[in-house]
Amino acid sequence: MIFINTASNTTGLFKPFFPITLPYGIGFLMAVLKREGIVFNYVDQQLHPNPLSEIAVMVKNHSAPYVFCISTLTEAFSSAKTLARQLKIQYPGSIVILGGLHPSCMPDEVMLNEEIDYVFSGEAESEIVEIYHRLKAGLPINHVKGIGFRKNGALVLNDPPELIKELDSLPDFPYELFSHSSKYHFGHMISSRGCPFNCSFCCVKAVGKRRYRYKSAANTVSELELLATDYAQREIAFFDDNFLANTDRIHELCAAIRKSPKLKNCSYSFQARSRDLNEDLLKEMYASGFRTVFFGIETVSEKLLREVGKDETLDEIKQAIQASRNTGFKVMANFLYCLPNETRDIRSNCVSFAIDNHIDVAKFNNVVPYPGTRMYDETLGAGRLHVDADFSNFNSQLVLVRPAWQRLPFPYLPEGSTGYGMRNEILFSYFKFYFRFGMIKKMLTKKDWGGAIFSFGSSNWEAFRKFPLTLLLLMDVGFKLGLMFLSIFTPIGISFKACFGVFFRFFKKV
């Protein structure tokens, strides 16, 4: 069995500055197979954009029929389809299974592609061993929970398997399988699954069904100790969907961390809802090594917060930010633009809120109505959803990562907005927030400024190596900002193409 983690090449000039995270989805499945002594391999498109040459070497360790398990998110679905087609051509008789978040949300659409033999919906750890043994024995897997297959030309979708209630029952995550590459960033971990809330833009509940499950404090600390000792990680980010969903668990975890001598010099970051925090909890977490909190604020309109399912008030958000800062935490935050019923004033208030509340790192993303969310169903039903081929435009950072000369096909725009206008508003938000003396000084002098989401380099040598790429990135951002400011001279804006045409006509006359 060969696992493939797909990736989309859409981060542009920002790619060298985004940490390459471990492919957790296939990692947990490989841990199960490893426990059972089953032979497997994997290839990660984050490291190998064209994985066929890697696979050609791997198949020598396997017998026919070759089983390829492709994990994909929505934005990388195009890559998954292309790879499935290539594998079917190169290895006739092989079996291709698509799993991951996108196939779990849209199994029927995925199975419209003939090169895909099966689709899997849900958490596969409980079923992967049976799938392997039956396929290798030439037996059908049509009865397996979570499997989608074709029967007499029609699609049949089995109910997904039961969610794994006890995460401690899973084998340890196999970090050692990824240690061969220095490109991976090992400063992340997942200690829980699921989120009990129901935000309209979040697709976590499509698999987790709003059920929250977590590892014991002992197992979590054991994993932290492994990262700290074997992989020399001193700054570790919890990538949990909702880290604070159970505060009793956090108190137990903090107590266990403080007892570990191996974790004395470690610090941690986490994502949180403002309502889940209070001063006592923040102080305990800070005393246990937690140093950075990331808030999904989304918007400063209480009306919009209610509409998207975030039952938080602006006062609660302000109080949580202030309490975090008073305790000593670095505060990072995410804002979502392009929400339904959003206005320009609301977006402007978001960046003002970030400045007034002294947020250290802010992201201003465009909303993506992912499959499996209420927002997807509503925008699709209203005829307002724009989907490029195979969801290739389903990127929440389109404005930053797309080059200035490429169009910006936002998946959704609120009424009264244009793509060009939205790009300028997002760019101006970044300009207004980051082009301040204090912020520029912080970005240039603090190595850990960007935390787990952006880094110029963890050392002076790495920063020096990235210097040419940093210049290219600054040129790209500078050009985008230049076009943004030039747009004030015309109601329809100024594009890269228009600027190029002006310069071409000028030099032609000269």
Side-chain angles (χ1 to χ4, degrees):
M1 185 171 276
I2 297 177
F3 293 92
I4 303 160
N5 181 58
T6 57
S8 57
N9 187 24
T10 57
T11 51
L13 295 174
F14 280 81
K15 183 176 182 179
F17 305 94
F18 290 162
I20 298 179
T21 58
L22 300 177
Y24 292 101
I26 65 173
F28 285 113
L29 297 180
M30 292 190 297
V32 174
L33 295 187
K34 182 183 178 183
R35 181 175 61 185
E36 300 299 320
I38 295 173
V39 176
F40 61 85
N41 286 102
Y42 81 93
V43 61
D44 189 351
Q45 275 195 314
Q46 294 182 105
L47 306 183
H48 306 284
N50 301 307
L52 289 180
S53 59
E54 303 290 323
I55 293 173
V57 177
M58 294 175 182
V59 294
K60 296 176 182 179
N61 299 322
H62 300 263
S63 60
Y66 303 127
V67 180
F68 299 107
C69 297
I70 302 177
S71 176
T72 185
L73 298 174
T74 298
E75 189 184 356
F77 181 51
S78 178
S79 296
K81 279 180 54 178
T82 299
L83 187 57
R85 190 180 311 114
Q86 293 170 334
L87 291 172
K88 279 295 191 178
I89 294 173
Q90 192 159 335
Y91 304 101
S94 62
I95 300 168
V96 174
I97 307 174
L98 243 66
L101 193 53
H102 184 75
S104 293
C105 295
M106 304 195 74
D108 47 354
E109 182 168 322
V110 169
M111 286 297 287
L112 293 176
N113 303 278
E114 294 184 357
E115 59 268 18
I116 298 168
D117 298 296
Y118 298 99
V119 65
F120 191 93
S121 300
E123 296 179 342
E125 286 91 346
S126 61
E127 311 298 324
I128 190 66
V129 172
E130 181 179 6
I131 290 173
Y132 170 83
H133 284 306
R134 292 189 68 85
L135 288 179
K136 297 301 284 187
L139 300 174
I141 59 172
N142 295 355
H143 70 287
V144 175
K145 291 182 178 180
I147 283 291
F149 59 95
R150 301 180 188 88
K151 183 177 181 180
N152 300 325
L155 175 63
V156 179
L157 296 173
N158 293 342
D159 292 334
E162 291 292 322
L163 292 176
I164 299 170
K165 298 178 181 179
E166 300 293 336
L167 296 190
D168 286 348
S169 67
L170 295 174
D172 294 338
F173 187 83
Y175 290 101
E176 69 279 0
L177 296 179
F178 307 99
S179 60
H180 64 88
S181 176
S182 61
K183 294 182 179 180
Y184 280 124
H185 182 62
F186 281 79
H188 305 133
M189 73 168 291
I190 298 175
S191 65
S192 65
R193 294 184 183 182
C195 176
F197 297 99
N198 192 29
C199 298
S200 66
F201 53 84
C202 180
C203 52
V204 170
K205 62 181 178 293
V207 174
K209 309 302 180 187
R210 300 177 65 183
R211 289 172 58 186
Y212 182 71
R213 301 146 291 148
Y214 55 89
K215 295 180 181 179
S216 65
N219 275 0
T220 302
V221 167
S222 177
E223 191 168 341
L224 288 173
E225 290 176 339
L226 176 72
L227 292 175
T229 56
D230 292 17
Y231 299 98
Q233 299 301 312
R234 289 293 177 262
E235 298 174 0
I236 300 171
F238 283 89
F239 271 13
D240 300 39
D241 299 318
N242 189 331
F243 186 66
L244 301 183
N246 185 310
T247 53
D248 289 340
R249 172 236 177 176
I250 300 302
H251 289 300
E252 292 178 9
L253 177 59
C254 286
I257 288 175
R258 291 195 298 272
K259 291 179 182 178
S260 172
K262 297 179 181 179
L263 300 178
K264 284 186 176 180
N265 298 318
C266 292
S267 62
Y268 316 100
S269 60
F270 64 100
Q271 302 179 67
R273 291 168 59 97
S274 61
R275 185 170 286 181
D276 295 332
L277 284 172
N278 57 62
E279 288 189 9
D280 290 339
L281 182 60
L282 282 167
K283 289 178 180 178
E284 182 177 7
M285 295 182 74
Y286 193 86
S288 307
F290 289 87
R291 293 293 182 269
T292 303
V293 55
F294 188 97
F295 290 106
I297 295 175
E298 321 313 354
T299 181
V300 296
S301 165
E302 292 187 355
K303 177 177 180 293
L304 289 189
L305 284 172
R306 290 192 297 271
E307 289 177 358
V308 300
K310 294 205 72 168
D311 188 20
E312 296 177 321
T313 67
L314 206 54
D315 282 341
E316 286 176 323
I317 296 172
K318 289 179 180 179
Q319 290 171 10
I321 293 173
Q322 189 61 48
S324 299
R325 288 182 53 79
N326 290 343
T327 307
F329 279 89
K330 176 198 291 184
V331 177
M332 308 172 79
N334 183 70
F335 296 90
L336 281 180
Y337 287 8
C338 306
L339 291 170
N341 303 318
E342 181 187 76
T343 65
R344 185 171 186 173
D345 286 342
I346 291 174
R347 293 188 288 272
S348 178
N349 290 338
C350 285
V351 66
S352 297
F353 180 90
I355 294 172
D356 294 341
N357 288 274
H358 308 288
I359 289 173
D360 296 288
V361 180
K363 297 172 65 178
F364 303 96
N365 290 344
N366 57 277
V367 73
V368 177
Y370 285 106
T373 66
R374 174 163 57 89
M375 189 176 290
Y376 178 86
D377 295 334
E378 290 174 351
T379 55
L380 181 66
R384 300 294 306 279
L385 187 67
H386 173 69
V387 182
D388 270 7
D390 297 325
F391 300 91
S392 59
N393 64 323
F394 272 45
N395 186 322
S396 62
Q397 302 178 79
L398 279 173
V399 172
L400 288 182
V401 301
R402 287 279 177 109
W405 56 86
Q406 288 187 2
R407 69 187 183 92
L408 292 179
F410 289 98
Y412 173 80
L413 287 168
E415 291 188 23
S417 303
T418 65
Y420 192 85
M422 187 62 68
R423 176 171 68 176
N424 284 340
E425 287 191 58
I426 293 176
L427 283 172
F428 186 73
S429 295
Y430 276 107
F431 175 81
K432 186 177 180 180
F433 182 81
Y434 285 105
F435 281 77
R436 296 176 289 142
F437 177 78
M439 182 59 65
I440 293 174
K441 180 181 177 181
K442 189 183 300 182
M443 292 167 61
L444 294 176
T445 58
K446 293 192 175 183
K447 293 179 182 179
D448 64 342
W449 164 79
I453 60 175
F454 186 91
S455 175
F456 288 108
S458 58
S459 65
N460 291 333
W461 170 242
E462 188 177 353
F464 176 77
R465 287 173 54 196
K466 286 184 178 181
F467 184 70
L469 299 173
T470 302
L471 288 179
L472 285 175
L473 179 64
L474 291 176
M475 290 173 60
D476 178 71
V477 173
F479 189 80
K480 290 175 181 176
L481 291 175
L483 292 179
M484 177 195 72
F485 284 114
L486 285 173
S487 68
I488 66 176
F489 297 108
T490 171
I492 62 173
I494 294 183
S495 65
F496 175 86
K497 183 177 180 181
C499 287
F500 183 81
V502 170
F503 285 119
F504 179 78
R505 289 192 296 273
F506 173 78
F507 284 110
K508 186 175 181 182
K509 290 180 181 179
V510 173

